[in-house]
Amino acid sequence: GGGNGGVPHGATAVAVPVAASPAAASSSVSDTVVVVDDERTIRKLAQRWLKRAGFDVRVACNGAEAVEAVEAVGSSCAGVMMDIVMMPMDGVAACVELRSRGITVPIIAMTSNCSGTDVERYKASGFNGLLPKPFKSADITRAVRAVQQAARPMPGWWTPPVDGGT
């Protein structure tokens, strides 16, 4: 194995009162997001933005790592933000694998491949939505908050609202 750079920092966790916010009062709301992308810059930015928004973040570099990470996080997984084009296992194959294991956590495709044909393939593979690249910090935070609060399995299909570029 290539070593584990993502050693958990559980000892440095800060206790937060359970009733600190309306969302925290619900035991069904989870707060760990798995971010999957083969581009280090995207992983780092997404991780920074989501941590700033109050989420715990696990990162993975490809679909195979994504499957392992989602299974490791378990029921505390709020959602998965998954790139599509990755090697050796791409995002579509990883989504299919997660669904075949009975995992119902919302999975949002993060990609610039957004044609109608692509979107239909993502839907058929078990994705719950699409966050087109490039995206801003507000876009990924909005996506994660939407999936975090959705029922399991998530109904419908999530895409970012068109807000005039603000």
Side-chain angles (χ1 to χ4, degrees), residues 71-98:
E71 290 210 315
V73 170
S75 62
S76 68
C77 189
V80 180
M81 305 304 294
M82 180 97 68
D83 186 24
I84 297 298
V85 181
M86 300 178 287
M87 296 297 279
M89 180 188 277
D90 70 13
V92 170
C95 187
V96 168
E97 178 62 25
L98 287 166

Side-chain angles (χ1 to χ4, degrees), residues 54-158:
F55 293 97
D56 291 328
V57 180
R58 290 278 300 258
V59 295
C61 301
N62 60 55
E65 287 184 12
V67 172
E68 290 178 17
V70 171
E71 290 210 315
V73 170
S75 62
S76 68
C77 189
V80 180
M81 305 304 294
M82 180 97 68
D83 186 24
I84 297 298
V85 181
M86 300 178 287
M87 296 297 279
M89 180 188 277
D90 70 13
V92 170
C95 187
V96 168
E97 178 62 25
L98 287 166
R99 297 305 186 218
S100 77
R101 295 181 185 202
I103 294 171
T104 60
V105 63
I107 305 174
I108 304 294
M110 298 188 303
T111 183
S112 55
N113 300 329
C114 302
S115 74
T117 307
D118 290 324
V119 170
E120 290 310 311
R121 185 167 64 107
Y122 306 149
K123 287 180 180 180
S125 302
F127 281 91
N128 299 103
L130 173 66
L131 178 62
K133 287 181 181 178
F135 51 81
K136 298 179 284 204
S137 62
D139 299 328
I140 193 169
T141 303
R142 186 181 295 137
V144 170
R145 289 201 193 291
V147 302
Q148 177 191 39
Q149 295 162 9
R152 303 287 190 270
M154 185 176 158
W157 177 256
W158 186 88

Side-chain angles (χ1 to χ4, degrees), residues 14-89:
V14 177
V16 177
V18 172
S21 71
S26 167
S27 61
S28 66
V29 174
S30 305
D31 64 357
T32 301
V33 180
V34 177
V35 173
V36 189
D37 203 297
D38 58 347
E39 292 187 37
R40 183 177 186 274
T41 303
I42 293 174
R43 287 195 310 272
K44 290 294 181 190
L45 280 174
Q47 184 175 33
R48 180 181 312 143
W49 292 338
L50 291 169
K51 282 186 177 226
R52 193 179 301 151
F55 293 97
D56 291 328
V57 180
R58 290 278 300 258
V59 295
C61 301
N62 60 55
E65 287 184 12
V67 172
E68 290 178 17
V70 171
E71 290 210 315
V73 170
S75 62
S76 68
C77 189
V80 180
M81 305 304 294
M82 180 97 68
D83 186 24
I84 297 298
V85 181
M86 300 178 287
M87 296 297 279
M89 180 188 277

